[in-house]
Amino acid sequence: MTRRSAQPSWDGLARVWRSPQGVTLLLGDNSNALAAASGECGDGDMTTLSVRHIISVGNSEKTRQVSKMCEEKDVQDVRHARCMMPDRLRSDAEISIDESYEPLVMLSAAFAACEEAVASKAEADPQAAVLVHCDMGHNRSPSLVLAFLLMRGLSLREAYRT
């Protein structure tokens, strides 16, 4: 069985939340991250997005492909960070998700940088966005986004609905 690499695609990309400063939080999978890293424009209402940061949550071959593309393209407008976050935990595992949790620190820093850039520009720019992704966009990245929204002051119910 041959492993296929992910192909860039905007299909399935979700706009999750927009900060008061105008930065959009996106949630997706590897194919969405590859599309953002390659500089391809989205389709439909995604054409207005300007992905500034890609946060990869995982260490699969497909996730490493996003890192490699960012390095090869040397895209200065898109910053990339990768962190590990387990998809499955042992029944006796203990985790503490607080403000010092590495994936949250990365996501918070990316959002702060985008918000600062948006605030410092006087002219209208494409909408700044931060994309959080894992392999399929089903477990790790949504969990990280949920924790991030809680830290931004949303209630658990609001964050979950968002």
Side-chain angles (χ1 to χ4, degrees):
M1 180 179 221
T2 307
R3 288 185 177 213
R4 294 182 358 192
S5 20
Q7 297 300 313
S9 171
W10 290 104
D11 291 343
L13 182 69
R15 285 180 189 240
V16 176
W17 180 73
R18 186 175 162 124
S19 74
Q21 292 81 4
V23 177
T24 300
L25 179 59
L26 302 171
L27 184 59
D29 62 16
N30 277 322
S31 63
N32 304 140
L34 286 170
S38 68
E40 289 183 13
C41 287
D43 48 8
D45 73 317
M46 296 303 171
T47 58
T48 62
L49 291 177
S50 180
V51 176
R52 298 290 183 208
H53 290 264
I54 300 171
I55 307 292
S56 299
V57 186
N59 196 29
S60 72
E61 182 57 40
K62 290 179 182 177
T63 304
R64 287 190 292 273
Q65 190 180 354
V66 174
S67 295
K68 186 176 179 182
M69 182 175 281
C70 287
E71 289 168 10
E72 287 175 357
K73 297 280 279 183
D74 194 26
V75 182
Q76 294 180 356
D77 290 346
V78 179
R79 297 180 196 266
H80 178 256
R82 188 172 76 196
C83 56
M84 288 300 301
M85 194 171 149
D87 199 22
R88 294 185 179 98
L89 297 173
R90 297 184 329 266
S91 60
D92 63 340
E94 291 183 25
I95 61 168
S96 175
I97 298 178
D98 59 17
E99 293 167 359
S100 65
Y101 184 57
E102 180 189 10
L104 275 175
V105 169
M106 284 183 176
L107 180 52
S108 296
F111 234 86
C114 275
E115 288 175 334
E116 185 177 310
V118 167
S120 68
K121 298 213 176 184
E123 57 195 58
D125 258 359
Q127 186 178 11
V130 175
L131 169 62
V132 179
H133 81 98
C134 56
D135 285 342
M136 296 176 19
H138 293 170
N139 292 326
R140 288 170 286 199
S141 54
S143 298
L144 177 58
V145 166
L146 181 68
F148 175 76
L149 293 174
L150 291 171
M151 285 183 58
R152 294 298 287 234
L154 276 70
S155 71
L156 180 57
R157 184 174 304 275
E158 290 170 326
Y160 184 78
R161 285 182 178 161
T162 299

